[in-house]
Amino acid sequence: MRVFKFGGASVKDAEGVQNVLKVLEATGHENTLLVVSAMGKTTNAMEAVVNAYFEDKAALPSAIQEIVQFHHAILTDLFPNDKHPIFGTIRSLIEEVQGFLAWNKSPKYNFVYDQVVGYGEMISTKIISAYFNEVGIENNWLDVRDFIKTDSSYRDVSVNWEKTQQHIGNGIDRSKLNVTQGFLGSDDNNFTTTLGREGSDYTAAIFAYCLNASSVTIWKDVPGVLNADPRYFEETRLLHKISYREAIELAFYGASVIHPKTLQPLQRKEIALHVKSFLNPKDPGTTVGKGIGIEPHVPCFIVKKNQVLMKLSSLDFSFIVENSISELFMLFHDHKMKVDLIQNSAISFSVCVDNRFGRLEELLDLLKSRFKLVCHEGVSLYTIRHFNEEAVATLQNGREVLLEQRSHETLQLVVK
C-alpha cells in the first residue's frame, strides 16, 4: 500500500486535477490511497466564512458565494455536462455549511471553525473522485472522519491511535484506489476536528502507519526538500536524502515542506517518505528514511516570519528559576503560544513565540503584572542547521539582531 498526498497548490484548478491524473498514470494507482487538501486557497476562504459568521454576518452570503463560484469554475472545466451528479453533490455540501451556520448555538470560535473549514477538503475530494470515475479510474471516496478519531481540542487535537488503528485497519479496501481528505478527523461525538494548518501531511502519515504502508509521497510544486525556502532565499539546493532525525530537526525549527507531526509515526515503522514534484513525477526528489544526516551536507536555512520576542526580567531583581519558568510555560500553554526559542540568565528570560491563535494582548496583560517586559512584535526567527561563517554572515547582513543562540549544529537569530 502506498499513500500519496496532494496539497492545495496541486489541485488549485481544473488543470491541476488533470495533472494529478497524469501523476497516477506515470506512477500507477493500484494499492494507493490519496490524501487531498482543499483546492488552492479554499481554506483561507473558509476561514473568511467563519470570521464573517462571528464578526460581520452581512458579509456571510458573499463569503460563501466566493467559494461556490471558485469551485463551479473548476467543475465546468472538468465536467462539460452541467447535469453531471457532481454539481448537485457540491451544492449539497455548500448547503450543509449554510445549515450548520443557521442552527449552530455554540459561541466557541474553535468549534465552529472545525465544523466549517473542513468542507474545503470534502468538496475537493468529491470533485477529484468524480473526475477519476468519469475518465475510467474506479476509486473509493472515503470520509476521513470515519477513520481518524481524535479528542475534542478543536483546532489542536490529539489523535486517538487505538481507535484510529481499528477504524483504518478494518475499513479500507487495499486493492483499489482510495481518495480521502487531509487535515480532518472526528471526536467521540462525531463532530469534525482539524489537525492544524498543513495537517494533511500528518493525515498521510497516520494512514501509512495504520496500513503498514510501504511509502508516503508528498507531491509539491518544488523538486523536493530544498535547503532553503525559495520564496525567501535566492540560491537553494535540493537535498537528495535526509535521515528521519535530521528531518525531524528541520521540521521542529519550522521547515515548511514537512509538517512537524508527520515524521514520528513514519519513523516508528521505518516507512520511507518521498517529497517529489507533481510537475515532474519521474524525477527522484527527496527521500527521508533511515540513515545519517543529509546529502549533500550543506547549511539549511529556515525562517519563521511574524514572530513575537519577549524579554522578561523579575521586578525585584530576584532570580528567574524553576518556579518562575514553570509559571511562564503554563501561561504560554494556556494562551496557545508555540514556543520556538528560549534563552535565560539569572534575572532575565527571553522567549520567541508564534502568536498563532491571536491571544498575545491577553497574555501580555498578565505578564506585565508579574515581570518587567519588553516585547518586539513582527520579528523573524532564522535558523541555520549545519551553519558555517559564510552562512551566518549572509543572514546578519543589514539586519538588527535582537537575540542569537548557537549550539554545535544549529544557529538561531531573531532579527528585525
Side-chain angles (χ1 to χ4, degrees):
M1 194 82 186
R2 301 174 306 171
V3 178
F4 285 179
K5 180 261 176 173
F6 288 91
S10 65
V11 291
K12 64 183 180 180
D13 51 26
E15 186 179 349
V17 174
Q18 290 162 342
N19 188 67
V20 171
L21 178 62
K22 292 177 184 176
V23 171
L24 294 180
E25 288 171 345
T27 61
H29 52 80
E30 298 79 12
N31 310 108
T32 301
L33 182 140
L34 299 189
V35 173
V36 185
S37 300
M39 293 175 154
K41 301 295 184 182
T42 298
T43 299
N44 292 340
M46 287 290 184
E47 288 176 341
V49 169
V50 177
N51 292 335
Y53 174 76
F54 280 101
E55 299 170 11
D56 184 11
K57 282 196 167 55
L60 192 55
S62 62
I64 293 174
Q65 191 59 29
E66 181 180 328
I67 294 164
V68 171
Q69 291 173 346
F70 172 75
H71 289 96
H72 186 76
I74 295 173
L75 282 171
T76 54
D77 285 341
L78 293 175
F79 304 92
N81 177 11
D82 62 6
K83 301 292 192 244
H84 192 285
I86 187 61
F87 286 87
T89 300
I90 302 308
R91 193 159 47 245
S92 295
L93 289 173
I94 295 294
E95 289 170 357
E96 284 183 27
V97 175
Q98 294 169 316
F100 168 78
L101 294 175
W103 62 254
N104 171 63
K105 303 299 183 196
S106 174
K108 295 180 179 178
Y109 181 94
N110 290 346
F111 171 76
V112 173
Y113 180 101
D114 277 11
Q115 306 320 301
V116 171
V117 170
Y119 274 93
E121 278 73 13
M122 304 301 288
I123 292 170
S124 70
T125 53
K126 282 289 189 182
I127 292 173
I128 289 165
S129 177
Y131 178 70
F132 286 172
N133 282 326
E134 186 76 0
V135 298
I137 297 182
E138 183 182 352
N139 67 92
N140 291 331
W141 180 87
L142 307 175
D143 188 334
V144 71
R145 298 171 297 183
D146 294 335
F147 297 93
I148 294 181
K149 308 304 288 185
T150 73
D151 63 15
S152 299
S153 302
Y154 299 106
R155 293 189 72 193
D156 194 25
V157 295
S158 295
V159 173
N160 183 321
W161 284 94
E162 184 177 349
K163 288 184 178 179
T164 299
Q165 175 71 75
Q166 181 180 357
H167 285 282
I168 291 176
N170 296 334
I172 292 179
D173 183 348
R174 298 167 186 246
S175 67
K176 293 184 178 179
L177 174 65
N178 294 278
V179 179
T180 195
Q181 307 79 40
F183 182 51
L184 307 178
S186 68
D187 62 15
D188 286 342
N189 295 312
N190 287 325
F191 285 116
T192 303
T193 58
T194 62
L195 304 178
R197 286 300 296 266
E198 310 303 328
S200 295
D201 291 1
Y202 187 33
T203 305
I206 294 168
F207 273 102
Y209 180 89
C210 295
L211 291 167
N212 292 314
S214 58
S215 65
V216 171
T217 303
I218 298 174
W219 296 96
K220 307 283 288 186
D221 56 358
V222 291
V225 179
L226 305 176
N227 74 320
D229 189 329
R231 294 174 296 177
Y232 305 119
F233 298 90
E234 291 182 2
E235 297 182 12
T236 61
R237 294 183 65 180
L238 176 66
L239 303 177
H240 304 296
K241 294 182 180 179
I242 313 176
S243 68
Y244 291 118
R245 181 185 180 89
E246 183 64 34
I248 288 170
E249 291 279 1
L250 292 171
F252 172 79
Y253 289 115
S256 59
V257 173
I258 303 172
H259 189 273
K261 292 181 180 178
T262 300
L263 294 155
Q264 286 91 343
L266 300 180
Q267 192 239 3
R268 285 203 295 269
K269 290 192 175 179
E270 296 187 2
I271 298 169
L273 171 65
H274 305 291
V275 182
K276 303 180 73 171
S277 167
F278 58 71
L279 300 173
N280 300 290
K282 292 291 190 180
D283 287 357
T286 301
T287 297
V288 180
K290 193 174 181 180
I292 300 173
I294 60 173
E295 180 189 314
H297 194 276
V298 294
C300 296
F301 298 84
I302 301 159
V303 60
K304 300 182 85 170
K305 302 279 189 178
N306 297 315
Q307 304 295 289
V308 180
L309 177 65
M310 290 180 276
K311 296 186 176 184
L312 304 106
S313 55
S314 54
L315 294 172
D316 59 0
F317 292 97
S318 60
F319 291 157
I320 292 185
V321 290
E322 289 85 353
N323 287 344
S324 302
I325 294 173
S326 174
E327 178 186 3
L328 284 168
F329 272 92
M330 185 58 69
L331 287 171
F332 297 145
H333 172 77
D334 290 345
H335 291 80
K336 295 187 179 295
M337 296 287 171
K338 185 179 184 302
V339 175
D340 292 319
L341 175 64
I342 60 172
Q343 190 177 92
N344 68 293
S345 66
I347 60 170
S348 68
F349 182 88
S350 296
V351 58
C352 188
V353 300
D354 187 349
N355 180 32
R356 56 181 175 168
F357 289 96
R359 298 183 62 185
L360 179 64
E361 293 303 320
E362 189 182 331
L363 173 63
L364 292 180
D365 287 342
L366 286 171
L367 293 175
K368 287 174 184 175
S369 67
R370 306 180 198 186
F371 299 93
K372 181 180 178 181
L373 172 66
V374 177
C375 180
H376 300 274
E377 297 183 49
V379 300
S380 296
L381 171 61
Y382 286 89
T383 302
I384 313 177
R385 286 281 293 168
H386 315 294
F387 66 92
N388 55 36
E389 292 311 312
E390 180 184 355
V392 175
T394 300
L395 283 191
Q396 290 179 328
N397 184 30
R399 295 182 174 95
E400 180 184 353
V401 178
L402 301 175
L403 186 147
E404 176 179 324
Q405 187 155 279
R406 296 184 184 223
S407 66
H408 177 65
E409 291 277 6
T410 305
L411 168 75
Q412 292 189 283
L413 299 173
V414 179
V415 304
K416 289 185 74 172

